[in-house]
Amino acid sequence: MSRVSFGGRNFWLGLASILLLNASAKADELMKWERIPLSISLKVGQERIIFADRNVRIGLPPSLSETLRVQSAGGAVYLKANKAFPPTRLQLQDSENGEIILLDITAAKVGPTEPIRIIYPNEKQATPKEQSQSQNRTELSAPVPVALTRYAAQQLYAPLRTVEPVAGIQPVNLHFPPFITTLYPSEPIAISPLAGWRLHPHTVIALKLRNTAKRTITLDPRGLQGQFVAATFQHRWLGETGSPEDTTVLYLVTKVPLDNAFIPEPVSVKPGGRHGG
């Protein structure tokens, strides 16, 4: 499956959800956070992964908005520079406790490409054998809605080599119309299905949300109509239509059959529903 990209955002990036996502992929280079900025080098044109192993938001300075591609999913941060730049300060903020981790990022034509794992004081690091045993466990390390949402986010946003395998999760064929108008009727948002996965009896559906209005929309799960046990927005808001921020992803988890989870569509369905811009 191809990765999802909806444009860069030079602001705090993170999931608008209380669900905590964790990464399990191995890293080759360890960097210990001791309140001293970590110096990280990038090779131009080559993605480098930083495993923070925490649900983090990223503070990206405006000077790098057109130079550095930044994505975050499942406790991992993905950095890719399209041209060289001098050392520049990035901030990772732990979404749970607010702790700030400082990174001094630089990019050049040559540089290391191996993944980085940040380790923290007083935290015991698992041996390779322990990591392998942990990855081979069939039991879930989180409630099913959390595991499904994490898996869906990794499938859409993370490189396939970093996706955490979860026993029992299977893809679902979605038999939805091209646009779903009954899910968020209070806002002018065009909603279309992307993919789905099931871990009995739960199902997660990933949906693309696109703003069709010339105004910013703050996303609120209370506006969703249907039978769901969890809802997670990839971003907290949508920029006005035509902007790089006008699109995001919504993850919905339900325990009822998909035909019953959504309010039936009207006979005639048009992109963006009945709301004008």
Side-chain angles (χ1 to χ4, degrees), residues 20-57:
L20 300 181
L21 312 181
N22 300 304
S24 64
K26 290 179 60 179
D28 295 330
E29 181 178 352
L30 301 181
M31 290 190 174
K32 189 172 183 180
W33 168 244
E34 296 179 301
R35 300 186 182 278
I36 298 174
L38 303 177
S39 297
I40 296 176
S41 300
L42 304 178
K43 180 180 179 180
V44 173
Q46 177 70 48
E47 183 175 71
R48 196 170 193 194
I49 307 171
I50 301 173
F51 294 107
D53 287 337
R54 298 182 179 184
N55 186 31
V56 295
R57 298 184 296 175

Side-chain angles (χ1 to χ4, degrees), residues 31-40 89-90 99-104 118-121:
M31 290 190 174
K32 189 172 183 180
W33 168 244
E34 296 179 301
R35 300 186 182 278
I36 298 174
L38 303 177
S39 297
I40 296 176
R89 180 69 50 86
L90 268 69
E99 181 182 2
I100 299 292
I101 300 168
L102 301 177
L103 309 178
D104 285 340
I118 299 176
I119 59 177
Y120 305 92

Side-chain angles (χ1 to χ4, degrees), residues 1 9 12-13 116 127 134 149 206 208 213 216 230 232 240 243 257:
M1 178 179 295
R9 295 191 175 189
W12 292 103
L13 301 178
I116 295 170
T127 65
S134 176
T149 301
K208 183 174 76 171
T216 298
T232 305
E240 67 176 44
S243 68

Side-chain angles (χ1 to χ4, degrees), residues 21-277:
L21 312 181
N22 300 304
S24 64
K26 290 179 60 179
D28 295 330
E29 181 178 352
L30 301 181
M31 290 190 174
K32 189 172 183 180
W33 168 244
E34 296 179 301
R35 300 186 182 278
I36 298 174
L38 303 177
S39 297
I40 296 176
S41 300
L42 304 178
K43 180 180 179 180
V44 173
Q46 177 70 48
E47 183 175 71
R48 196 170 193 194
I49 307 171
I50 301 173
F51 294 107
D53 287 337
R54 298 182 179 184
N55 186 31
V56 295
R57 298 184 296 175
I58 305 160
L60 178 65
S63 61
L64 293 184
S65 61
E66 302 297 329
T67 304
L68 180 66
R69 187 188 73 184
V70 180
Q71 295 177 317
S72 175
V77 179
Y78 306 88
L79 303 176
K80 184 176 181 180
N82 57 39
K83 63 180 180 180
F85 59 83
T88 306
R89 180 69 50 86
L90 268 69
Q91 298 183 11
L92 305 183
Q93 183 182 47
D94 189 318
S95 298
E96 183 176 1
N97 59 25
E99 181 182 2
I100 299 292
I101 300 168
L102 301 177
L103 309 178
D104 285 340
I105 307 291
T106 186
K109 291 183 178 180
V110 294
T113 60
E114 67 269 20
I116 295 170
R117 183 178 296 275
I118 299 176
I119 59 177
Y120 305 92
N122 303 321
E123 287 191 4
K124 178 181 179 294
Q125 296 300 304
T127 65
K129 181 178 180 180
E130 291 172 335
Q131 290 177 341
S132 176
Q133 291 174 343
S134 176
Q135 292 175 0
N136 290 331
R137 293 172 183 167
T138 57
E139 68 271 17
L140 295 176
S141 59
V144 173
V146 178
L148 277 172
T149 301
R150 175 177 61 206
Y151 185 84
Q154 290 176 339
Q155 285 285 337
L156 294 179
Y157 278 89
L160 286 175
R161 65 182 179 276
T162 69
V163 175
E164 177 184 358
V166 181
I169 292 184
Q170 298 178 343
V172 175
N173 291 325
L174 301 180
H175 302 288
F176 291 124
F179 293 92
I180 301 173
T181 64
T182 59
L183 178 61
Y184 206 154
S186 61
E187 294 289 358
I189 301 174
I191 302 175
S192 56
L194 290 174
W197 295 269
R198 176 181 292 115
L199 184 59
H200 188 76
H202 294 80
T203 301
V204 62
I205 309 101
L207 302 145
K208 183 174 76 171
L209 276 58
R210 182 178 60 82
N211 188 358
T212 63
K214 284 291 186 179
R215 61 178 175 84
T216 298
I217 296 176
T218 300
L219 298 169
D220 187 344
R222 293 172 297 182
L224 299 173
Q225 304 294 311
Q227 299 185 53
F228 313 109
V229 297
T232 305
F233 294 102
Q234 189 75 32
H235 302 97
R236 296 180 182 273
W237 55 274
L238 293 173
E240 67 176 44
T241 183
S243 68
E245 299 87 12
D246 71 355
T247 305
T248 192
V249 172
L250 166 63
Y251 308 97
L252 293 175
V253 179
T254 181
K255 290 182 67 175
V256 302
L258 293 183
D259 290 343
N260 299 330
F262 293 84
I263 297 175
E265 291 290 322
V267 175
S268 177
V269 178
K270 297 181 180 180
R274 57 182 177 274
H275 299 277

